[in-house]
């Protein structure tokens, strides 16, 4: 089955919603306009229940099918993210961001619009048995909005049995999907180092403990963890991305601060990385005489697709796009807080093609409106197939 004909008719309207959201980007949990826009549309569609303020600013709509369930009612959750990024837009589009320093550089405007389109169709037709729960989540970009919604009772309150997510992927052809079972996106942790040395005159280094030297050795030594402690067939990343020390060219500073990120695809490797980072820092401190304080903060967990739901997602994607347009994908070392939902319920996360666009989190990025018919059709058929009587 190709794209849903009714969705093709609605494409321009859905694109209009997307562009309206794009022009008014909001960050993290501070999404009052976007959340109100979503809630207003769900009311217009005639959803059976609409809840706002879940996970602070999340919105949930419930759509009940008209087919008899024939047993226990099944409930499927579909999730879209609403928040933008603190980036200055450089697209020069007619609907470009009206707020300086904020833009939808990750396509969450498109995700929200596609799920709204599916909600409209499902509320019109109700050609399924059970309940479809549409989830509009704030704060994906570093705020763990998914975890906040779960903490507020998302899964239990709405009796969600399984949950699905979708994200656009620049470089993946328009009309294509990609997915894999098991780990599909990485856990993301942050690590901060504060190095305390003994400052002094740059011409008398023998009387100092140089935190820049200690920090430089630390950066190099940390790279040995992945190359010498992690199985070469596994994946891990440690990147030191900030190094701050000193304020003039002839003074050895007293302190240095380094910050970085750690990415892993398995819980045991995640534990290993933290352990070895602390050990390596202690070793560098011993050899340089500096004191090194390590702060390791765990962020989003690994996004792990469940096998049965992944098979379902593949089958539906092939119905929409054709067998040759649904691809396997290696795991990505980026992170996604949909991981929390997949820890709470079985489900699957899929990528949809955005074509040849600028990359995610780039100031020239723009969601491809031509992808709308594929993503919205996927959501619709996922509900109608999973909740068939």
């Amino acid at each position: 089955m190709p794209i849903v004909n009714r969705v093709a008719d609605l494409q321009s309207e859905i694109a209009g919603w997307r562009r309206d959201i794009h022009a008014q980007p909001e960050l993290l949990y501070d999404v009052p306009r976007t959340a109100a826009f979503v809630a207003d549309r769900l009311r217009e569609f005639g959803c059976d229940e609409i809840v706002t303020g879940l996970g602070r600013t999340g919105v949930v709509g419930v759509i009940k099918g008209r087919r008899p369930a024939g047993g226990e009612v099944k409930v499927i959750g579909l999730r879209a993210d609403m928040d933008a990024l603190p980036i200055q837009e450089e697209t020069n589009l007619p609907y470009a961001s009206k707020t300086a320093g904020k833009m939808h550089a990750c396509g969450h405007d498109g995700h929200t619009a596609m799920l709204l389109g599916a909600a409209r169709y499902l509320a019109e037709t109700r050609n399924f048995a059970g309940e479809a729960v549409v989830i509009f989540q704030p704060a994906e970009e570093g705020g763990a909005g998914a975890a906040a919604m779960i903490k507020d009772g998302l899964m239990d309150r709405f009796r969600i049995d399984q949950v699905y997510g979708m994200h656009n992927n620049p470089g993946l052809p328009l009309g294509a999907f990609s997915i894999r079972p098991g780990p599909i996106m990485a856990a993301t942790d942050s690590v901060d180092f504060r190095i305390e040395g003994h400052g002094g005159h740059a011409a008398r280094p023998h009387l100092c403990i140089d935190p820049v030297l200690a920090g430089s050795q630390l950066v190099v030594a940390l790279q040995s963890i992945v190359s010498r402690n992690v199985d070469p067939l596994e994946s891990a990343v440690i990147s030191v991305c900030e190094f701050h020390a000193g304020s003039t060219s002839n003074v050895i500073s007293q302190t240095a601060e380094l910050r970085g990120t750690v990415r892993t695809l398995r819980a045991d490797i995640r534990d290993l990385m933290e352990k070895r980072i602390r050990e390596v820092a202690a070793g560098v401190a011993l050899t340089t005489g500096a004191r090194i304080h390590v702060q390791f903060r765990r962020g989003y967990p690994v996004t792990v697709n469940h096998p049965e739901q992944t098979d379902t997602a593949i089958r539906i994607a092939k119905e929409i796009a054709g067998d040759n347009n649904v691809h396997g994908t290696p795991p990505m070392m980026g992170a996604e807080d949909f991981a929390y939902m997949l820890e709470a319920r079985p489900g699957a996360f899929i990528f949809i093609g955005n074509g040849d666009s600028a990359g995610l989190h780039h100031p020239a990025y723009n969601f491809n409106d031509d992808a709308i018919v594929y993503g919205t059709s996927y959501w619709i058929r996922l509900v109608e197939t999973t909740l068939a009587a």
Side-chain angles (χ1 to χ4, degrees), residues 10-97:
L10 292 172
Q11 197 271 348
S12 61
E13 185 173 4
I14 298 170
W17 301 337
R18 201 278 294 183
R19 296 180 180 195
D20 182 274
I21 295 168
H22 185 95
Q24 304 288 343
E26 297 173 305
L27 305 182
L28 293 170
Y29 290 97
D30 188 19
V31 292
R33 185 190 184 278
T34 309
F37 182 93
V38 167
D40 287 346
R41 299 292 83 71
L42 296 179
R43 292 187 189 97
E44 291 174 5
F45 304 159
C47 291
D48 297 284
E49 182 180 358
I50 300 162
V51 175
T52 60
L54 199 73
R56 293 167 61 177
T57 50
V59 181
V60 176
V62 178
I63 305 166
K64 297 181 180 179
R66 60 166 49 104
R67 289 184 185 176
E72 185 177 354
V73 174
K74 294 181 179 180
V75 182
I76 184 174
L78 314 176
R79 173 271 206 171
D81 32 21
M82 299 187 290
D83 58 322
L85 283 157
I87 296 174
Q88 181 65 39
E89 183 162 352
E90 297 178 3
T91 64
N92 297 315
L93 292 165
Y95 52 86
S97 171

Side-chain angles (χ1 to χ4, degrees), residues 341-365:
M341 294 195 182
L342 291 177
E343 286 186 334
R345 292 292 187 274
F349 190 73
I350 196 168
F351 292 102
I352 183 171
N354 202 57
D356 185 19
S357 71
L360 301 176
H361 295 209
H362 190 280
Y365 168 85

Side-chain angles (χ1 to χ4, degrees), residues 28-29 53-58 135 137-140 143-155 300 337 340-341:
L28 293 170
Y29 290 97
L54 199 73
R56 293 167 61 177
T57 50
I135 304 161
Q137 177 211 303
E140 192 283 322
M149 293 190 79
I150 293 167
K151 185 177 180 180
D152 261 5
L154 171 67
M155 298 300 177
Y300 296 169
D337 82 339
Y340 292 110
M341 294 195 182

Side-chain angles (χ1 to χ4, degrees), residues 168-313:
N168 76 96
N169 189 3
L172 184 66
L174 184 70
F177 294 87
S178 65
I179 191 172
R180 75 185 306 274
I184 189 168
M185 296 192 76
T188 175
D189 302 318
S190 62
V191 60
D192 296 352
F193 304 94
R194 178 175 172 80
I195 303 175
E196 296 179 2
H198 182 73
H201 200 294
R204 306 176 74 188
H206 59 292
L207 300 179
C208 305
I209 297 175
D210 187 351
V212 173
L213 177 63
S216 300
Q217 291 189 13
L218 178 61
V219 171
V220 173
L222 289 171
Q223 300 312 309
S224 70
I225 297 174
V226 174
S227 65
R228 288 297 177 266
N229 298 132
V230 176
D231 186 331
L233 299 179
E234 299 294 342
S235 299
V237 172
I238 178 166
S239 293
V240 177
C241 302
E242 296 183 56
F243 195 139
H244 305 280
S247 58
T248 188
S249 63
N250 64 344
V251 175
I252 291 175
S253 63
Q254 188 80 5
T255 62
E257 293 186 354
L258 289 72
R259 298 184 183 90
T261 185
V262 180
R263 308 297 174 101
T264 50
L265 291 169
R266 281 178 28 185
D268 58 333
I269 295 177
R270 193 182 196 184
D271 293 339
L272 171 67
M273 292 292 284
E274 179 176 3
K275 175 176 178 289
R276 290 295 294 137
I277 285 169
R278 294 185 184 279
E279 291 172 347
V280 167
V284 172
L286 182 64
T287 59
T288 62
R291 288 192 293 175
I292 302 180
H293 306 272
V294 180
Q295 185 177 29
F296 191 98
R297 295 186 303 276
R298 298 214 170 193
Y300 296 169
V302 182
T303 304
V304 182
N305 279 343
H306 296 247
E308 181 179 344
Q309 285 71 31
T310 301
D311 288 344
T312 298

